[in-house]
Amino acid sequence: MAVSSKSIIHYTGSLKNLKGIITDKGLRIKYCNETIHFSSTSRASIAFPMVCFCDLPLTLAKEHIVKYGSYGIGFSKSWAKKNQLNPVLYLEPESTLSQYLNVHSLSVAASFTKLRDAQMDATKEEENFFRLSQVLGFCKNHAGPLTRKGKIVEENYVFYDEREWRYLARQSELGEARSMVYGEHYDKDRNRYNEALKDKRLIFDSNDISYIIVKTDKDIPVIADCLDARYRSEIPMTELQKLYTKIISVNQINNDF
């Protein structure tokens, strides 16, 4: 059995959110605060503007759905590649790679801070700092505490099992929003930072959609009506009808996969 899917799926917690994604023809970019443990004594907590996806076939996605939401929308891997998504780089603390990233992060941050505080030209160091942040934005620990709504729900959750892909927003599309925010600053004012991203979307077309997942069978006609309202004037009826067939409920996944 394949452990990778031909699609990547973005899961969400409500029917309202899924309808909003379809209506917008885009996934909202939001900051996600990621704490990366490089070792037992060194870590970095940074919020990055991103959209997250899962590369699990539906046969293996049942537990993931319980944790991340019973609604979702899947896209082709060709769409993912076109939009420069990438699988997450999973790090094991104390590994050679983790040690290298830790040392390099501290060095770049120290150099940038020193020049900035001395009111000297830090343009080059700022560019290096940004490039490093783009690497760290695709990093996650292999395992660690799983937190939901500020509470730890599992102490040693294996994130590697999620086969996560990410879209990390580029500086050119962020406008006044920041490409990264230190975790302690983000946690104090999440709403303000995400307000700067409220109009930022990762766009898709109807032919990019591979799955639409809903919680129960009664949600299927609701989403069919939403697709009809959004696409009837834009695509042929045959294409719209094909979209209807891509709607699948969690009940069907549990019973048939």
Side-chain angles (χ1 to χ4, degrees), residues 186-197:
Y186 175 69
D187 286 339
K188 291 177 181 177
D189 205 353
R190 292 178 178 229
N191 290 337
R192 180 172 69 87
Y193 287 113
N194 280 307
E195 179 68 15
L197 295 174

Side-chain angles (χ1 to χ4, degrees), residues 60-78:
L60 301 175
K62 296 173 185 178
E63 290 186 13
H64 191 87
I65 288 171
V66 171
K67 291 183 174 72
Y68 289 92
S70 298
Y71 298 89
I73 184 165
F75 303 96
S76 65
K77 286 282 182 67
S78 59

Side-chain angles (χ1 to χ4, degrees), residues 5 28 48 50-51 61 65-66 71 76 104 126 132 169-170 172 191 197 199 217 223 226 235 238 243 249 252:
S5 173
R28 183 175 174 182
F48 299 97
M50 66 172 72
V51 184
I65 288 171
V66 171
Y71 298 89
S76 65
H104 191 55
E126 186 174 13
L132 175 63
R170 297 176 286 270
S172 59
N191 290 337
L197 295 174
D199 298 322
D217 292 347
I223 291 301
C226 185
I235 61 176
T238 53
L243 274 180
S249 72
Q252 291 173 293

Side-chain angles (χ1 to χ4, degrees), residues 10 21 24 26-32 48-53 167-170 173-174 177-179 186 193-203:
H10 174 79
I21 291 169
D24 289 347
L27 298 123
R28 183 175 174 182
I29 298 170
K30 294 182 179 180
Y31 286 102
C32 178
F48 299 97
M50 66 172 72
V51 184
C52 300
F53 301 83
Y167 173 79
L168 203 63
R170 297 176 286 270
E173 67 186 298
L174 287 174
R178 300 185 184 183
S179 59
Y186 175 69
Y193 287 113
N194 280 307
E195 179 68 15
L197 295 174
K198 67 178 182 179
D199 298 322
K200 308 300 180 184
R201 298 288 188 276
L202 175 56
I203 303 301

Side-chain angles (χ1 to χ4, degrees), residues 86-106:
N86 200 76
V88 162
L89 175 62
Y90 290 96
L91 299 176
E92 182 64 27
E94 312 290 353
S95 69
T96 302
L97 179 58
S98 290
Q99 292 178 43
Y100 170 77
L101 286 172
N102 184 35
V103 171
H104 191 55
S105 298
L106 293 173

Side-chain angles (χ1 to χ4, degrees), residues 1 3 16 36 96 149 162 207 213:
M1 179 188 298
V3 294
K16 178 182 178 182
I36 304 171
T96 302
K149 298 181 179 179
E162 295 178 352
N207 58 4
I213 298 172

Side-chain angles (χ1 to χ4, degrees), residues 64-227:
H64 191 87
I65 288 171
V66 171
K67 291 183 174 72
Y68 289 92
S70 298
Y71 298 89
I73 184 165
F75 303 96
S76 65
K77 286 282 182 67
S78 59
W79 174 84
K81 294 174 183 177
K82 179 179 68 176
N83 284 280
Q84 299 181 320
L85 278 72
N86 200 76
V88 162
L89 175 62
Y90 290 96
L91 299 176
E92 182 64 27
E94 312 290 353
S95 69
T96 302
L97 179 58
S98 290
Q99 292 178 43
Y100 170 77
L101 286 172
N102 184 35
V103 171
H104 191 55
S105 298
L106 293 173
S107 175
V108 171
S111 179
F112 170 63
T113 301
K114 180 179 179 180
L115 290 175
R116 183 193 60 189
D117 291 347
Q119 297 184 334
M120 299 174 64
D121 184 9
T123 302
K124 183 177 180 180
E125 284 71 19
E126 186 174 13
E127 290 177 357
N128 290 336
F129 193 63
F130 171 73
R131 292 191 182 101
L132 175 63
S133 75
Q134 299 305 285
V135 174
L136 294 179
F138 283 101
C139 292
K140 192 179 188 76
N141 281 128
H142 168 268
L146 176 64
T147 304
R148 286 287 169 270
K149 298 181 179 179
K151 296 181 180 180
I152 296 176
V153 296
E154 192 168 334
E155 286 288 349
N156 194 36
Y157 180 75
V158 181
F159 295 105
Y160 182 74
D161 289 345
E162 295 178 352
R163 302 185 62 84
E164 183 181 346
W165 284 53
R166 287 180 181 173
Y167 173 79
L168 203 63
R170 297 176 286 270
Q171 184 65 60
S172 59
E173 67 186 298
L174 287 174
E176 297 300 316
R178 300 185 184 183
S179 59
M180 57 166 284
V181 182
Y182 282 119
E184 61 268 26
H185 298 153
Y186 175 69
D187 286 339
K188 291 177 181 177
D189 205 353
R190 292 178 178 229
N191 290 337
R192 180 172 69 87
Y193 287 113
N194 280 307
E195 179 68 15
L197 295 174
K198 67 178 182 179
D199 298 322
K200 308 300 180 184
R201 298 288 188 276
L202 175 56
I203 303 301
F204 59 85
D205 293 322
S206 60
N207 58 4
D208 296 316
I209 299 172
S210 54
Y211 289 108
I212 300 175
I213 298 172
V214 296
K215 186 174 184 179
T216 65
D217 292 347
K218 69 180 182 180
D219 293 324
I220 293 176
V222 176
I223 291 301
D225 288 344
C226 185
L227 290 169

